[in-house]
Amino acid sequence: HGGTLFDRSTHVQHGTINGASWSRTRRGLIANSFNGTSNDVDFGNITPTANFSILFWANPPDGDATYRIMFGKAGGGDPSRFQFTWSSGAWGFVYGNGQGAASVGALALNSWSMVGITVAGTAIRTFTNGAFIAAATAGPVTQSASKVYLAWNGTDSRFNGQLVIPIWVARTLADVEVTRIYSHLKRFVG
């Protein structure tokens, strides 16, 4: 595996690992460990289509109040941004120029949880461990040269903890599909 996180999908958008170490979940799923200060995975420029879904596993070690990025593109008021955030023991999702913020809720500390979103145009649905949590609306993400990162977004604080490479689907998954993916993968996380 070395310094590259390989994309096994048809998109072939490999990530360059910057300082993060390889680790495994209790049941063998490969993850990356991030130190919260200088580690990330750089996937280059990816701008999502109007309809997409992103799911991934996170294992946060603490309820730190610092606003951190688990997965994202750009920051600030950038209309091309989307990011999964972590702060004070809760995760959220920000899409577009910020009007699509969805505060999702707590994740268990020192434990694996699957977080995810589905986007259909301007409609966003958030999920934790395969269960629907909240809905929000936002303007669409625009094209930009901003990079996509795991454990960072290029500007804000980096994530401290473990993350499993995201599942990025170029369509809106149905709620039942998110639940099935969670049910299938949870046995490998432990």
Side-chain angles (χ1 to χ4, degrees):
H1 299 268
T4 302
L5 195 56
F6 290 99
D7 177 358
R8 302 292 185 203
S9 74
T10 57
H11 303 293
V12 192
Q13 191 76 35
H14 305 310
T16 302
I17 299 171
N18 299 309
S21 61
W22 291 100
S23 59
R24 288 192 180 268
T25 66
R26 286 187 315 182
R27 298 208 178 134
L29 193 62
I30 296 172
N32 287 107
S33 294
F34 300 92
N35 66 6
T37 58
S38 61
N39 300 165
D40 63 70
V41 177
D42 178 347
F43 289 100
N45 182 18
I46 306 172
T47 297
T49 59
N51 301 316
F52 66 97
S53 303
I54 300 172
L55 308 168
F56 65 94
W57 291 87
N59 184 358
D62 57 47
D64 181 348
T66 303
Y67 182 81
R68 297 185 182 276
I69 305 300
M70 295 191 289
F71 181 62
K73 176 182 177 110
D78 187 337
S80 72
R81 88 173 159 164
F82 63 91
Q83 55 199 25
F84 289 84
T85 62
W86 171 255
S87 180
S88 300
W91 80 276
F93 182 72
V94 179
Y95 184 63
N97 61 8
Q99 72 247 77
S103 180
V104 178
L107 294 181
L109 302 179
N110 294 303
S111 180
W112 286 100
S113 298
M114 188 181 88
V115 297
I117 55 99
T118 61
V119 177
T122 60
I124 303 166
R125 294 175 64 80
T126 58
F127 300 82
T128 301
N129 293 331
F132 168 72
I133 302 297
T137 332
V141 167
T142 60
Q143 297 289 327
S144 83
S146 300
K147 293 181 176 184
V148 171
Y149 294 92
L150 187 59
W152 195 34
N153 67 355
T155 58
D156 295 309
S157 295
R158 289 174 165 93
F159 182 71
N160 175 34
Q162 294 176 296
L163 298 170
V164 172
I165 187 171
I167 299 168
W168 187 322
V169 181
R171 67 178 177 83
T172 305
L173 293 173
D175 291 10
V176 68
E177 291 176 294
V178 174
T179 302
R180 284 182 189 147
I181 290 169
Y182 169 74
S183 296
H184 175 72
L185 293 177
K186 72 179 180 179
R187 61 189 162 149
F188 298 108
V189 177

